[in-house]
């Protein structure tokens, strides 16, 4: 480690993303990407932007066309919408805007592993709240947090969705602190907490276009909340980089929100495949947690999870294994196309004999 690193750089422990192998024949079920391409209107919009020969000009710092499209989708106004360069950037801005060093925040012990990374980066103390034995949220443990709360819903990597009454109870019992609901997978689950925005000034909902809208390569995330919270995020963004969203990403993402029919069709297709995958995994002797995401969290009973992960990798199938207390007996499997999942099951049949 370089002696020139700052104390900030020294104390942080960077996030470790899923493997990205450059093999054309790999079946990639490890990073929860959408197995289907985005709406054809996305490519048309990007090509139209290119034809306009505008790349020499800065993009809009306010991203208004995309904010309008998102607001219309959710029955909000653009003042309720903030857009960032991927939801991870939106999360980072949120930590800076709403969490205070010296005041402990709470998030689940088994959760998105970027939360402790940002906490250490921004010098924010945190408490990891253990989940219930069935991996559900112990909602009362999130009450009266000194510095605020952040919860992924559905949770990652467990795939479990907390009903809105659970989220609302946590909001009610943190009236003076921000509650951030990270909804990367919400389009495969139940209702979004954004339905509660008009009633709770302390609620910020963060979503992404990487999963359900198949735009992981464009890096578009967004936050929904009351205008004062959106203004706070904008204040941080404009102190960091006024032009976080490029012209092509803005055009493509706007088109994705306009094409409601394609979004509904592809999302429903993934949900159907997920349900059949859960059934098949159980038949193969796996314990499978209830899933409301575009992945499943499954415990193999015939082999150690880490061993099975490696055996699948050796056969050209990538899944995710977390060598972490409480979940190292599980593997996370992203939902692929029906053909990809059938190949997975054929291999699993051989490996679990």
């Amino acid at each position: 480690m370089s002696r020139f690193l700052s104390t900030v750089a020294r104390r942080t422990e960077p996030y470790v993303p899923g493997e990205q192998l450059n093999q054309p024949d790999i079946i990639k079920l490890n990073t929860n990407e959408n197995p289907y391409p985005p709406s054809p209107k996305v490519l048309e919009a990007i090509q139209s932007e290119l034809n306009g020969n505008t790349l020499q000009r800065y993009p809009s710092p306010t991203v208004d066309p995309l904010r309008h499209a998102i607001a219309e989708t959710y029955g909000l106004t653009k003042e309720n919408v903030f857009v960032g360069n991927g939801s991870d950037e939106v999360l980072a801005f949120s930590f800076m805007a709403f969490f205070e060093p010296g005041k402990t925040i709470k998030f689940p012990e088994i959760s998105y592993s970027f939360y402790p990374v940002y906490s250490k980066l921004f010098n924010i103390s945190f408490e990891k709240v253990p989940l219930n034995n069935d991996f559900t949220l112990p909602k009362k443990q999130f009450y009266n947090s000194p510095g605020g709360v952040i919860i992924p819903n559905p949770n990652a990597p467990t795939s479990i969705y907390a009903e809105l009454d659970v989220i609302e109870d946590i909001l009610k019992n943190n009236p003076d602190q921000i509650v951030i609901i990270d909804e990367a997978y919400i389009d495969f689950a139940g209702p979004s907490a954004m339905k509660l925005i008009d009633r709770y000034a302390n609620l910020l909902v963060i979503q992404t276009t990487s999963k359900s809208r198949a735009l992981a390569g464009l890096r578009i995330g967004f936050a929904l909340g009351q205008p004062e919270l959106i203004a706070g995020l904008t204040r941080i963004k404009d102190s960091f980089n006024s032009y976080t969203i490029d012209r092509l990403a803005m055009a493509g993402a706007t088109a994705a929100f306009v094409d409601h029919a394609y979004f509904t069709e592809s999302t429903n297709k993934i949900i159907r495949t997920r349900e059949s995958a859960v059934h098949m995994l159980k038949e193969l002797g796996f314990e499978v947690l209830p899933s409301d995401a575009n992945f499943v969290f499954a415990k193999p009973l015939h082999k150690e999870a880490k061993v099975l992960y490696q055996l699948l990798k050796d056969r050209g199938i990538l899944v995710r294994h977390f060598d972490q207390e409480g979940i190292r007996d599980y593997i996370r499997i992203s939902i692929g196309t029906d053909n990809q999942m059938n190949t997975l099951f054929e291999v699993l049949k051989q490996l679990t004999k």
Side-chain angles (χ1 to χ4, degrees), residues 124-144:
I124 297 165
S125 58
F126 60 90
E127 176 187 343
K128 293 183 178 181
V129 177
L131 296 175
N132 294 323
N133 290 336
D134 61 356
F135 295 103
T136 56
L137 286 177
K139 66 178 182 180
K140 292 184 180 179
Q141 300 303 312
F142 292 94
Y143 292 178
N144 304 312

Side-chain angles (χ1 to χ4, degrees), residues 34 55 80 121 138 169 178-179 237 247 254 263 279 293 349:
N34 197 310
L55 293 186
N80 297 117
L121 179 63
D169 285 345
I178 195 79
V179 175
K237 176 187 79 78
R247 286 181 174 274
T254 301
F263 163 77
H279 176 75
K349 285 177 184 177

Side-chain angles (χ1 to χ4, degrees), residues 187-301:
D187 292 322
F188 307 102
S192 165
M194 67 93 183
K195 293 180 177 293
L196 305 174
I197 284 173
D198 62 338
R199 291 154 55 188
Y200 295 94
N202 61 328
L203 170 63
L204 187 74
V205 177
I206 296 177
Q207 295 188 15
T208 179
T209 62
S210 295
K211 315 301 181 185
S212 58
R213 299 184 194 275
L215 296 180
L218 284 191
R219 312 308 303 128
I220 295 290
F222 57 99
L224 307 172
Q226 292 193 12
E228 292 81 3
L229 297 185
I230 302 306
L233 289 171
T234 303
R235 185 179 179 85
I236 294 295
K237 176 187 79 78
D238 288 345
S239 301
F240 174 74
N241 178 6
S242 295
Y243 304 102
T244 57
I245 309 301
D246 67 65
R247 286 181 174 274
L248 303 185
M250 195 185 314
T254 301
F257 278 96
V258 170
D259 195 350
H260 302 294
Y262 185 91
F263 163 77
T264 301
E265 178 186 357
S266 62
T267 301
N268 287 341
K269 194 185 304 184
I270 291 169
I271 291 172
R272 287 194 297 270
T273 303
R274 179 189 72 198
E275 297 310 305
S276 63
V278 169
H279 176 75
M280 181 61 70
L281 286 167
K282 288 180 177 179
E283 283 197 347
L284 291 172
F286 286 75
E287 289 183 7
V288 187
L289 297 188
S291 176
D292 282 290
N294 67 336
F295 60 88
V296 293
F297 207 49
K299 180 180 181 179
L301 302 181

Side-chain angles (χ1 to χ4, degrees), residues 31-258:
T31 53
N32 301 339
E33 294 155 320
N34 197 310
Y36 303 107
S39 161
K41 293 181 179 179
V42 170
L43 300 182
E44 292 171 8
I46 291 174
Q47 188 59 56
S48 178
E49 187 67 32
L50 286 171
N51 292 341
N53 194 26
T54 58
L55 293 186
Q56 74 273 27
R57 300 187 182 279
Y58 284 111
S60 165
T62 59
V63 205
D64 281 352
L66 178 52
R67 291 170 68 202
H68 275 297
I70 295 171
E72 185 173 319
T73 299
Y74 295 112
L76 302 169
T77 70
K78 75 177 180 66
E79 286 72 28
N80 297 117
V81 181
F82 175 87
V83 175
N85 187 23
S87 61
D88 288 333
E89 181 183 81
V90 180
L91 284 168
F93 289 167
S94 300
F95 271 66
M96 286 187 276
F98 306 117
F99 293 151
E100 192 75 40
K103 293 185 177 181
T104 301
I105 66 171
K106 293 184 179 184
F107 51 78
E109 183 175 39
I110 298 170
S111 185
Y112 186 30
S113 52
F114 234 133
Y115 301 159
V117 172
Y118 285 146
S119 296
K120 292 175 183 178
L121 179 63
F122 301 125
N123 201 26
I124 297 165
S125 58
F126 60 90
E127 176 187 343
K128 293 183 178 181
V129 177
L131 296 175
N132 294 323
N133 290 336
D134 61 356
F135 295 103
T136 56
L137 286 177
K139 66 178 182 180
K140 292 184 180 179
Q141 300 303 312
F142 292 94
Y143 292 178
N144 304 312
S145 174
V149 172
I150 181 166
I151 295 172
N153 194 35
N155 196 10
T158 66
S159 75
I160 293 177
Y161 170 76
E163 298 292 340
L164 282 192
D165 59 344
V166 172
I167 302 301
E168 189 164 14
D169 285 345
I170 294 172
L171 284 162
K172 288 178 180 177
N173 285 277
N174 287 283
D176 299 319
Q177 300 297 340
I178 195 79
V179 175
I180 300 175
I181 307 300
D182 184 1
E183 294 187 336
Y185 306 100
I186 195 64
D187 292 322
F188 307 102
S192 165
M194 67 93 183
K195 293 180 177 293
L196 305 174
I197 284 173
D198 62 338
R199 291 154 55 188
Y200 295 94
N202 61 328
L203 170 63
L204 187 74
V205 177
I206 296 177
Q207 295 188 15
T208 179
T209 62
S210 295
K211 315 301 181 185
S212 58
R213 299 184 194 275
L215 296 180
L218 284 191
R219 312 308 303 128
I220 295 290
F222 57 99
L224 307 172
Q226 292 193 12
E228 292 81 3
L229 297 185
I230 302 306
L233 289 171
T234 303
R235 185 179 179 85
I236 294 295
K237 176 187 79 78
D238 288 345
S239 301
F240 174 74
N241 178 6
S242 295
Y243 304 102
T244 57
I245 309 301
D246 67 65
R247 286 181 174 274
L248 303 185
M250 195 185 314
T254 301
F257 278 96
V258 170

